[in-house]
Amino acid sequence: MRVTQTMLSNNMLLNLNRSYGRMSKLQDQLNSGTKITRPSDDPVIAVKGMGYRRDLGRVEQYTRNMNEVNNWIDTTDESLNQVGEQMKRVRELVIQAANDTNTPDERAKIKTEIDQIRQQIQDVSNTKIGDRYIFSGTNTDKPLFVDATPPNADGSKIINADYQLYDGTNIISTAADKLTAPNADVQIEVYDGIQLQVNAPGADLFGNIDSLMGKISNLLDPERVPGPATSEEISKALGGFTSNSKSDDITNIHNKILETQADMGARQNRVELMENRLSLREISVTKQLSNNEDVDYSKAITEMVTSESIHQAALSVGARIIQQTLVDFIR
């Protein structure tokens, strides 16, 4: 095949363009720190990178969910701790009231404090995080206790009628749909396909507490019918009431509060395990993304120096080829 001067010139220009292209790509990698600047550079790397970024996005969302879980659990545990402290005070007052040396007026004063504690516990049952009630199940926009109509003389509230019927002694559930029940589980997703319950069963717990507080208040009422309660009757509030209620005295109530707090503590331990798992997942995915996209600077710089040397050699050879003219051949 006859090789002409035009062919030599065209091939030289083509090779120079390719050399410029290689150096331009290496320069882009060094400037951006990534192997590709557009999907067309390497579709495989681009697709893998999209998957890794999607995984990181999920991890970030689950981490935000964990903050919400911690908020719910910490607030619930703090509220239950307050209730537990109040029940200790109720126990002290009942022990004091059970003494027959107390006059009706003294028991009436104890009743006044019992009524105030009852209202305080009702307020605690309506604890909110932001604008959400934490003890109202999935119906977080409604309080667990609402004002009675007409209002009770002692200022106490009643279980929200939208949830339950409350006869002053026991809770009678009327919620047919679990999604609107006050004891329905509030679930928050913390990992792929894993959800954690963040609320406590408020209606049963606080309903039984309120029922007990109402009984104690009635026992200490000077105008009680058929007459003032005896010390034995008052002492039964410490542990001895008999009814169909699951928790009908201070001992059972306090044990129920402790059980609920233990349950919340166990969930908190699991939350810590899930946070560690998310942290490890984030590190793993970030490393995979780095291995997939980040440029190896030492390798890229070496290639860049090599390409520049080759390019300079090509320019030197090209200069000799292009400068040849017909006059040079005649000579």
Side-chain angles (χ1 to χ4, degrees):
M1 182 182 67
R2 179 172 177 270
V3 178
T4 65
Q5 181 69 21
T6 302
M7 292 176 63
L8 289 174
S9 300
N10 289 339
N11 287 337
M12 181 205 68
L13 293 175
L14 179 61
N15 290 329
L16 286 177
N17 286 332
R18 289 176 178 172
S19 179
Y20 276 123
R22 283 194 298 271
M23 288 192 297
S24 176
K25 183 177 181 179
L26 289 170
Q27 186 179 30
D28 289 340
Q29 290 180 355
L30 292 172
N31 288 336
S32 64
T34 61
K35 296 177 183 178
I36 61 174
T37 56
R38 60 185 67 85
S40 59
D41 291 342
D42 193 324
V44 175
I45 291 179
V47 171
K48 287 184 177 180
M50 292 171 60
Y52 295 141
R53 285 184 174 82
R54 184 170 58 249
D55 289 344
L56 282 176
R58 285 202 296 262
V59 170
E60 291 174 0
Q61 181 59 58
Y62 292 145
T63 301
R64 288 192 290 269
N65 290 355
M66 280 297 183
N67 294 333
E68 185 72 7
V69 170
N70 282 320
N71 197 9
W72 272 76
I73 292 179
D74 291 345
T75 304
T76 301
D77 184 65
E78 180 183 348
S79 300
L80 292 174
N81 188 60
Q82 294 179 33
V83 175
E85 292 299 319
Q86 294 299 326
M87 292 308 297
K88 291 179 182 178
R89 178 56 181 165
V90 171
R91 180 186 293 275
E92 295 174 358
L93 292 173
V94 170
I95 293 174
Q96 179 182 345
N99 193 327
D100 282 331
T101 61
N102 287 298
T103 65
D105 288 342
E106 290 173 334
R107 284 183 174 174
K109 293 178 182 178
I110 295 175
K111 175 185 183 302
T112 300
E113 185 172 352
I114 291 289
D115 290 340
Q116 290 299 316
I117 293 175
R118 182 184 184 186
Q119 293 179 40
Q120 174 63 21
I121 292 177
Q122 289 175 349
D123 292 339
V124 172
S125 72
N126 288 341
T127 298
K128 299 169 68 177
I129 296 178
D131 58 351
R132 293 168 296 176
Y133 295 92
I134 65 175
F135 292 110
S136 297
T138 51
N139 248 341
T140 56
D141 60 332
K142 296 180 181 179
L144 187 61
F145 279 86
V146 295
D147 293 326
T149 306
N152 292 332
D154 59 1
S156 61
K157 298 179 173 62
I158 61 173
I159 291 285
N160 195 334
D162 289 345
Y163 299 140
Q164 309 271 344
L165 290 180
Y166 183 61
D167 62 7
T169 303
N170 299 310
I171 297 176
I172 305 173
S173 177
T174 59
D177 185 357
K178 182 180 179 182
L179 293 178
T180 61
N183 283 334
D185 296 343
V186 177
Q187 304 277 354
I188 295 181
E189 188 171 7
V190 295
Y191 206 75
D192 294 338
I194 299 177
Q195 295 185 337
L196 288 181
Q197 179 185 346
V198 297
N199 69 319
D204 287 344
L205 179 62
F206 285 99
N208 287 321
I209 292 174
D210 194 72
S211 174
L212 173 63
M213 299 292 286
K215 290 178 182 179
I216 296 173
S217 179
N218 182 57
L219 290 172
L220 300 179
D221 191 347
E223 301 178 359
R224 176 177 178 268
V225 177
T230 65
S231 60
E232 182 180 355
E233 290 175 320
I234 297 174
S235 297
K236 286 183 178 181
L238 297 173
F241 282 156
T242 57
S243 70
N244 294 327
S245 178
K246 295 180 180 179
S247 301
D248 51 17
D249 56 51
I250 294 176
T251 300
N252 288 334
I253 287 289
H254 200 257
N255 288 339
K256 184 64 176 177
I257 294 172
L258 292 177
E259 289 174 6
T260 306
Q261 284 186 286
D263 181 51
M264 300 306 293
R267 294 186 211 169
Q268 182 63 56
N269 291 337
R270 187 180 180 191
V271 168
E272 292 178 2
L273 294 175
M274 291 303 302
E275 287 177 335
N276 291 336
R277 183 178 180 184
L278 283 174
S279 178
L280 293 174
R281 178 62 176 168
E282 182 178 12
I283 294 173
S284 174
V285 175
T286 301
K287 182 179 180 180
Q288 292 172 352
L289 178 63
S290 176
N291 292 337
N292 181 64
E293 293 186 0
D294 290 355
V295 67
D296 185 343
Y297 277 97
S298 59
K299 180 181 178 180
I301 292 173
T302 301
E303 291 181 356
M304 185 68 177
V305 172
T306 302
S307 297
E308 287 178 347
S309 299
I310 295 174
H311 185 72
Q312 290 298 329
L315 287 175
S316 177
V317 173
R320 293 180 178 277
I321 295 175
I322 292 177
Q323 72 180 2
Q324 299 294 330
T325 65
L326 182 59
V327 176
D328 295 322
F329 288 107
I330 293 174
R331 266 188 287 169

